[in-house]
Amino acid sequence: MRKLSFVILFLLFSSILFSANSQIDSLFYRYQFTDGLERIDLINQIAEELSVHSPNQSLSWAGYALILSEEMNYDKGKAYALENIGSCHYSLKLYKRALDYYQQSLQIEQSLNNKEGEARTLNDIGLAYQQLNDYDKALEIFLKSLIINEQIGNKKGSSQSLTNIGNLYCFRNENEKALAYHLDALTIYEEIDDKVNISKGLNNIASIYVYWLEYEQALEYYQRSLENYKEIGDENGIATTMHYIGLTYQNLQNFEQALIYFLKAKKIYEKIGNKSGDAESSINIASIYLKSNDFVQAANHLEKSLELAKEVEKKDLIQENYLLFSNLFSSQSDFKKSLEYYKLYSDFKDSIITVETDEEINKLRTGYNKEQSKIMNESNLIKQERLFSKVLELRLFLIILFGTLFVMLLYYVYWTKKKDNRDLQIQIIERKKAEEEVTKSHEELKELHKGLQKKVKVAVKDIRKKDHIIIKQFRQAATGDMIANIAHHWRQPITAVGAIVQSYEDALEDGMLDQDYLEEKTDEVMDILTKMSRTIDDFRTFFKPNKVAERFYLKENLEKVLRFVSTSLEVQKIKLETDFTHDSRIVGFAGDFSQTIMNILDNSKCAFEERKIKNPKITISLTKEDDKNVIIIKDNGGGIPEDIIDKIFDPYFSTWEVGKDIGIGLYMAKMIIEKNMGGKLTACNIGEGAEFRIEI
């Protein structure tokens, strides 16, 4: 055992010499001056640091820690080592093996009543189940970890559990829930000033906006993450975030900016020796050069990426490199090389067999060999003698048989070779014809592609122009609504100021106009003017657009809208009834949501005025149905004609007389609720009027 420990230790010393990571260097320096249990803890820390980027080295260190822990009966070190071994297998994508080691570690942590270690290992187990596509089991494990961390007040552990739950919901494409959990995790990270995880949390949020195709919003979060990484000097984090920014610019078709960030990320990866990151950056740089037809640069970076991918055994990158090489040579009309690389890509894809499958085969083979040995040991001498005589007879038969087969084989080889030569000539002729047809088809596709690109650019330009016009008209209409509401709120105060001014003449005639009277009336006027000024501020704050999603309460938002429109409703003698039996806090754009409610109310007001409805009434309710918040706005304005009810959310569609409505209010309301906030807005007729239903 001591010799084995010495050999393992020698290998670990050799591997650490090639590591450029300052944290690992620091741990290794401390390791040389420690012994006993402290040395085991340091070995485990080194294994943990290496587990992501150098899992094979990490596995050696963790195995050495496990040996020492068993020799010294150190259960805490043994649990830590088993967890690290599981993490190594996780990094190597051997998730079932990783799960086995995590389970062993969990049993020890539970026996030691180490709640922090138990919660941490549960997170690891949840990640393994997630990679095995058992999302329900993973969610159950993550929630157990979260409960334990909250019970012991471990904020860092709680934030990690929240992050894992958020990532799980991302895997399940439930991105609204994912965003809520990631925002909660980010709040805790900021509270405990965990700058590394703050950056990771910002990157997680940005990835959700990328999924929603809201690239500008994603870039804002990525840039915040990048600044934070720069502040703490985390070069690997800086390179990774730059790589994400490059991918986002690539999605925006801004290949120039994407190339700048990929090159910066690659430079840092080379500096810190992260070969996996270097390989990924190189292949993305090559893809951009390939798009711009710079085939020399594309080939250089593909060769570099393929070399690094083979070195770190990144099978997915090796496969992607073969495919890009095929596309590169196809773009240069070198179809022979293109076909060769595509065959490499196809063969490599088909040849990938997991280590777990090999091990299962070896287990079955070992079991079979043992069984055969057992049978042989149980044989007796009589059976062996009979077998020997039969073997002699069989040998004579086989000699005759193999002689005959050999002659037949020689004839078959001669006949097959002759046939293959004939078939090869036919294939060469057919291949030449196929290459000519491929070349012709390729040219036709190029021309078709150019024509389609031009049509797409023109169509996109027209759509953006129309969207800008609609948004501008919507803002103008909103401004008009705001001015009308201000006018309603100011009418009574202006009347009061007029009455005070008129009172000066009466006071003068009655001999009451003195200094005290003037000061009293002046104070009243100033108080009224102050309230009028505050009205302007309230409306400006209310209609200020939101650029970033925020948490807000639905009931509070609805009540604020009703306060702003109350005066205009009173002027039109419209009765307002509310039923807010439920309240909920959601993530979205509060200002846009308020404008949506006002647009629907304005639609009802137009109906009352146009149709001269007696005793007009609007009813607003806020309830909970299943897991959704439901806002229902009903009126008795006569309803919506059935022949146009399917068109009311179309842009520029309006049934009111010219000047009252431009037909974009309900269109923008539907866009805000369904596109910006992931909800649903519908309309139908009920009784004497119409009903608008919002589900969020």
Side-chain angles (χ1 to χ4, degrees):
M1 181 65 74
R2 292 185 180 274
K3 289 182 179 180
L4 178 60
S5 301
F6 177 78
V7 171
I8 294 173
L9 185 59
F10 175 76
L11 292 172
L12 298 179
F13 283 171
S14 301
S15 67
I16 202 66
L17 292 175
F18 297 98
S19 173
N21 189 305
S22 60
Q23 175 66 16
I24 296 176
D25 289 343
S26 173
L27 291 171
F28 180 65
Y29 177 79
R30 290 168 53 199
Y31 166 81
Q32 299 177 68
F33 302 102
T34 59
D35 55 12
L37 302 184
E38 186 179 356
R39 169 169 283 197
I40 295 175
D41 290 338
L42 280 171
I43 293 172
N44 273 318
Q45 289 178 46
I46 293 171
E48 183 178 3
E49 289 293 329
L50 289 169
S51 62
V52 175
H53 300 298
S54 302
N56 290 322
Q57 292 183 22
S58 176
L59 194 59
S60 299
W61 283 94
Y64 181 46
L66 183 61
I67 291 171
L68 294 179
S69 297
E70 289 176 341
E71 287 180 351
M72 302 180 69
N73 293 322
Y74 184 32
D75 286 343
K76 183 178 178 181
K78 184 178 178 181
Y80 197 174
L82 288 168
E83 183 182 358
N84 283 330
I85 293 172
S87 297
C88 295
H89 285 90
Y90 183 92
S91 297
L92 294 169
K93 298 184 179 180
L94 304 176
Y95 304 119
K96 289 185 178 179
R97 293 288 300 278
L99 190 59
D100 289 340
Y101 284 106
Y102 287 149
Q103 294 284 10
Q104 293 179 52
S105 176
L106 179 64
Q107 290 178 2
I108 297 174
E109 297 288 10
Q110 289 174 336
S111 68
L112 295 172
N113 198 26
N114 181 6
K115 292 296 183 181
E116 184 175 348
E118 180 182 351
R120 184 183 64 249
T121 310
L122 283 170
N123 266 330
D124 293 332
I125 293 172
L127 291 171
Y129 275 118
Q130 180 174 305
Q131 292 297 336
L132 292 169
N133 297 326
D134 192 346
Y135 297 137
D136 292 336
K137 187 67 175 178
L139 182 59
E140 176 188 342
I141 298 296
F142 287 145
L143 289 172
K144 285 183 180 179
S145 174
L146 179 60
I147 292 170
I148 294 173
N149 280 316
E150 289 178 344
Q151 287 175 346
I152 64 176
N154 184 2
K155 291 186 176 182
K156 185 172 183 178
S158 297
S159 57
Q160 188 58 57
S161 297
L162 289 168
T163 298
N164 288 336
I165 295 171
N167 290 334
L168 178 62
Y169 278 122
C170 282
F171 273 102
R172 296 170 65 163
N173 292 326
E174 298 181 41
N175 289 287
E176 291 81 4
K177 293 181 180 179
L179 180 60
Y181 276 100
H182 281 311
L183 287 170
D184 288 342
L186 181 60
T187 301
I188 298 176
Y189 287 139
E190 290 174 341
E191 182 182 340
I192 63 178
D193 197 28
D194 186 346
K195 294 196 177 292
V196 171
N197 280 312
I198 288 173
S199 293
K200 291 180 180 178
L202 291 168
N203 284 342
N204 287 332
I205 295 169
S207 68
I208 294 174
Y209 283 108
V210 168
Y211 178 83
W212 285 338
L213 306 182
E214 297 181 19
Y215 299 121
E216 298 295 339
Q217 190 73 31
L219 284 173
E220 289 184 17
Y221 280 100
Y222 280 140
Q223 290 293 351
R224 284 175 58 190
S225 172
L226 181 59
E227 293 301 319
N228 198 58
Y229 272 132
K230 287 180 179 178
E231 182 181 341
I232 61 178
D234 186 338
E235 292 188 316
N236 190 68
I238 293 170
T240 301
T241 306
M242 284 183 169
H243 189 84
Y244 291 152
I245 294 173
L247 291 172
T248 307
Y249 276 119
Q250 200 170 24
N251 288 328
L252 286 168
Q253 304 296 307
N254 189 343
F255 299 115
E256 183 179 351
Q257 281 294 324
L259 183 60
I260 290 172
Y261 277 97
F262 285 142
L263 287 169
K264 288 181 178 178
K266 176 178 171 59
K267 186 176 180 181
I268 297 174
Y269 282 137
E270 289 176 344
K271 176 184 175 184
I272 64 178
N274 186 342
K275 294 180 180 180
S276 178
D278 192 357
E280 288 190 26
S281 295
S282 295
I283 200 170
N284 284 316
I285 293 167
S287 68
I288 292 176
Y289 280 127
L290 186 57
K291 288 180 184 294
S292 61
N293 295 328
D294 190 343
F295 301 127
V296 175
Q297 287 284 8
N300 290 338
H301 284 283
L302 280 176
E303 288 174 359
K304 179 68 173 177
S305 177
L306 182 58
E307 177 187 345
L308 292 169
K310 288 181 177 179
E311 189 174 342
V312 297
E313 298 180 355
K314 291 281 286 187
K315 295 182 179 180
D316 53 341
L317 280 179
I318 296 172
Q319 187 177 330
E320 189 176 354
N321 268 286
Y322 285 147
L323 184 60
L324 279 179
F325 263 121
S326 177
N327 294 337
L328 171 65
F329 288 116
S330 176
S331 300
Q332 295 175 295
S333 299
D334 189 344
F335 299 108
K336 183 178 180 181
K337 285 188 176 180
S338 176
L339 188 61
E340 289 175 1
Y341 274 100
Y342 190 83
K343 190 173 184 302
L344 284 172
Y345 161 76
S346 180
D347 292 345
F348 186 82
K349 183 178 180 181
D350 293 338
S351 67
I352 296 175
I353 302 175
T354 63
V355 176
E356 290 172 329
T357 305
D358 290 340
E359 290 182 352
E360 285 296 321
I361 293 172
N362 288 333
K363 286 180 181 178
L364 292 173
R365 185 175 293 152
T366 302
Y368 173 78
N369 290 336
K370 288 181 178 178
E371 187 66 24
Q372 288 297 104
S373 298
K374 183 178 179 181
I375 293 172
M376 291 296 295
N377 290 333
E378 292 175 353
S379 298
N380 52 51
L381 293 174
I382 298 174
K383 189 175 181 180
Q384 289 181 11
E385 291 176 359
R386 290 178 181 175
L387 183 62
F388 179 75
S389 62
K390 288 184 179 180
V391 166
L392 290 176
E393 295 174 0
L394 182 61
R395 281 181 180 176
L396 181 60
F397 172 79
L398 289 176
I399 289 171
I400 298 171
L401 177 62
F402 282 127
T404 305
L405 290 175
F406 181 74
V407 173
M408 295 175 64
L409 181 62
L410 286 176
Y411 176 79
Y412 176 76
V413 169
Y414 167 78
W415 181 82
T416 303
K417 188 174 182 181
K418 185 176 180 180
K419 182 177 180 297
D420 288 344
N421 288 335
R422 186 172 62 253
D423 292 343
L424 183 59
Q425 290 178 350
I426 296 172
Q427 287 178 6
I428 291 171
I429 295 170
E430 290 178 348
R431 179 172 293 180
K432 286 182 179 180
K433 290 181 180 179
E435 287 179 354
E436 291 174 359
E437 291 177 358
V438 169
T439 303
K440 183 179 178 181
S441 300
H442 185 68
E443 293 300 325
E444 292 175 354
L445 285 173
K446 277 186 176 179
E447 293 299 321
L448 180 60
H449 182 65
K450 289 179 181 178
L452 288 173
Q453 278 186 326
K454 290 180 181 179
K455 290 180 181 179
V456 168
K457 286 181 180 179
V458 171
V460 169
K461 186 176 181 181
D462 290 343
I463 291 171
R464 287 179 177 173
K465 184 176 179 181
K466 289 178 182 178
D467 285 345
H468 286 311
I469 292 172
I470 290 173
I471 292 170
K472 183 177 180 181
Q473 291 177 339
F474 176 70
R475 288 174 178 169
Q476 290 173 346
T479 303
D481 292 339
M482 181 180 71
I483 293 172
N485 280 291
I486 292 173
H488 284 302
H489 278 270
W490 274 15
R491 183 173 286 111
Q492 185 175 353
I494 289 173
T495 303
V497 171
I500 292 172
V501 172
Q502 288 178 350
S503 71
Y504 289 155
E505 184 178 351
D506 295 335
L508 181 62
E509 291 177 357
D510 296 337
M512 297 172 61
L513 186 62
D514 55 12
Q515 185 65 29
D516 292 337
Y517 186 87
L518 284 173
E519 288 179 355
E520 179 186 351
K521 295 302 179 182
T522 299
D523 289 341
E524 290 181 13
V525 171
M526 290 306 297
D527 183 55
I528 293 170
L529 292 177
T530 299
K531 292 179 179 178
M532 293 170 70
S533 175
R534 191 179 300 119
T535 301
I536 290 290
D537 293 337
D538 290 342
F539 274 93
R540 183 168 60 246
T541 302
F542 179 70
F543 286 99
K544 184 177 181 181
N546 299 88
K547 294 183 179 179
V548 180
E550 60 181 347
R551 288 177 177 269
F552 67 92
Y553 287 99
L554 286 172
K555 182 178 179 181
E556 180 182 346
N557 189 287
L558 290 170
E559 289 174 343
K560 186 183 292 185
V561 172
L562 296 180
R563 285 200 301 272
F564 287 142
V565 301
S566 60
T567 304
S568 63
L569 294 177
E570 290 173 1
V571 170
Q572 290 184 246
K573 297 181 180 179
I574 298 172
K575 184 179 179 182
L576 178 66
E577 294 181 356
T578 61
D579 181 17
F580 300 155
T581 58
H582 165 74
D583 194 10
S584 179
R585 193 181 187 190
I586 66 170
V587 177
F589 303 93
D592 290 349
F593 180 78
S594 301
Q595 191 61 55
T596 297
I597 301 301
M598 289 193 65
N599 287 341
I600 297 173
L601 293 176
D602 286 343
N603 192 70
S604 296
K605 288 160 62 178
C606 286
F608 294 147
E609 184 177 354
E610 183 79 14
R611 295 166 180 168
K612 299 183 177 5
I613 301 298
K614 293 182 180 180
N615 302 318
K617 182 175 75 171
I618 296 175
T619 304
I620 304 177
S621 64
L622 171 59
T623 59
K624 184 83 170 181
E625 294 183 9
D626 296 330
D627 60 342
K628 294 181 180 179
N629 302 292
V630 179
I631 300 98
I632 297 177
I633 303 174
K634 298 187 290 188
D635 63 36
N636 61 343
I640 305 167
E642 293 296 334
D643 58 335
I644 66 166
I645 195 167
D646 294 332
K647 303 177 182 178
I648 62 172
F649 294 113
D650 294 345
Y652 300 113
F653 180 82
S654 176
T655 60
W656 312 123
E657 64 183 61
V658 178
K660 287 189 177 181
D661 184 33
I662 60 174
I664 62 172
L666 291 179
Y667 167 72
M668 290 302 295
K670 193 171 184 68
M671 292 289 287
I672 289 169
I673 295 299
E674 297 190 355
K675 183 177 180 181
N676 293 358
M677 301 183 69
K680 185 178 180 182
L681 172 59
T682 57
C684 64
N685 289 319
I686 56 160
E688 298 179 348
E691 175 185 289
F692 287 83
R693 179 184 179 92
I694 299 172
E695 298 178 5
I696 299 178

